[in-house]
Amino acid sequence: MMERPKVAFFDLSCCEGCQLQVANLGEELLDVLGLIDLVEFREVMSETWEGRYDVAIVEGSVVNEESEQRLREIRRRSDLLIAYGSCATIGGVNGMKNRKPLPEVQQEVYGERADWFPTDRTRPLHQLVKVDYFIHGCPIHPQEFIKVLKSALAGLPYQVPDYAVCVECKFNENVCLYDKGVTCLGPVTRAGCNAWCVNNGNVCYGCRGLVSNPNRAGAEEVLREHGLDAGLIANKMLMYNAAMEPCDE
């Protein structure tokens, strides 16, 4: 019998919500487990693995030297690395601290014990190590996770959609939120979630990062047409994207 690929899940700085998304896959998770040898996954098992990983799946962003060293060690021991969840792929909400001087952030969070907790600017994984596959979202979209993992196991590429969430939203026949006077980041956010939030009565918060070359001028024009505050939506855009570098867009 052919040996099944060794797969491990890891978490850096995050809420671990994406791991829960995987753990809650139900029957589809059982199908996946039939294809792999799961050797580490702290959310669902206590075992650890000292050998090499065929696939390492990492959630969370890098926020200090300790997490950077841990990520580099995981990369060194892995044939393929998948970044999953907004924190890992674009920095996510952890990136908001990049908008302030680090000493100010430390003082605000830890007070008089700020020196006990050294911190760095928040960085997504690809700014430090090679990432082979990206699964965006906060949390990840379960169906996209299955698709990417199967691609990795089969040695096939996975191309993250590089068009706006608006495309999927229109296919689902949702009423445009701008027509309701609501700000939404769908026009500039990378698709692939099937407009998950809008389908369920919410707005797009931009958790999948920006499309390549987002049409900022077009987005601003839409805001003007609907009398919405451009400053407000720019502020919302930085909730998930503050750790992005210009070369990431």
Side-chain angles (χ1 to χ4, degrees):
M1 180 179 177
M2 183 179 296
E3 186 176 3
R4 293 182 297 178
K6 301 285 190 295
V7 177
F9 287 77
F10 299 98
D11 52 87
L12 301 175
S13 290
C14 59
C15 70
E16 303 187 9
C18 293
Q19 292 177 78
L20 287 176
Q21 283 289 89
V22 175
N24 290 333
L25 279 170
E27 290 186 4
E28 289 178 294
L29 178 60
L30 296 177
D31 291 340
V32 171
L33 292 178
L35 301 173
I36 65 175
D37 184 4
L38 186 62
V39 294
E40 282 195 49
F41 192 171
R42 189 176 59 81
E43 198 73 37
V44 298
M45 59 192 284
S46 56
E47 291 84 353
T48 58
W49 172 253
E50 299 298 327
R52 190 165 183 80
Y53 312 109
D54 293 292
V55 181
I57 306 172
V58 183
E59 178 187 6
S61 51
V62 176
V63 298
N64 54 34
E65 184 178 350
E66 180 184 4
S67 56
E68 178 179 346
Q69 291 177 352
R70 185 162 179 247
L71 172 63
R72 292 191 185 283
E73 175 63 13
I74 293 169
R75 176 69 269 191
R76 186 186 68 78
R77 294 172 56 191
S78 308
D79 290 339
L80 292 176
L81 191 146
I82 300 174
Y84 80 128
S86 298
C87 295
T89 60
I90 58 175
V93 294
N94 292 333
M96 286 194 288
K97 78 172 181 179
N98 291 6
R99 302 177 66 184
K100 291 184 176 181
L102 288 180
E104 184 179 327
V105 172
Q106 283 179 286
Q107 187 66 37
E108 186 172 329
V109 176
Y110 299 111
E112 63 182 15
R113 295 178 178 173
D115 292 341
W116 293 16
F117 302 95
T119 189
D120 293 329
R121 288 174 57 82
T122 297
R123 287 168 290 179
L125 308 190
H126 69 274
Q127 291 181 6
L128 292 160
V129 300
K130 178 189 176 187
V131 172
D132 300 291
Y133 294 89
F134 292 83
I135 309 174
H136 296 281
C138 178
I140 55 168
H141 191 248
Q143 297 310 311
E144 187 179 32
F145 171 81
I146 294 290
K147 192 182 300 182
V148 174
L149 182 58
K150 287 182 176 178
S151 296
L153 294 175
L156 299 173
Y158 174 74
Q159 189 67 44
V160 179
D162 198 13
Y163 47 82
V165 169
C166 285
V167 175
E168 296 173 333
C169 199
K170 292 296 182 187
F171 276 130
N172 291 327
E173 301 183 351
N174 292 314
V175 174
C176 181
L177 293 174
Y178 282 94
D179 289 340
K180 298 180 179 179
V182 178
T183 56
C184 174
L185 295 185
V188 292
T189 299
R190 184 186 292 123
C193 59
N194 194 32
W196 195 9
C197 290
V198 184
N199 294 346
N200 288 283
N202 213 326
V203 303
C204 173
Y205 291 97
C207 71
R208 294 180 59 83
L210 301 177
V211 294
S212 299
N213 300 313
N215 187 349
R216 298 178 191 274
E220 291 173 359
E221 183 178 345
V222 170
L223 292 175
R224 282 196 300 271
E225 288 177 353
H226 291 81
L228 298 173
D229 183 355
L232 173 62
I233 201 165
N235 198 38
K236 284 187 173 184
M237 197 176 293
L238 288 174
M239 184 168 71
Y240 279 99
N241 296 294
M244 296 283 282
E245 299 290 344
C247 59
D248 294 331
E249 292 186 6

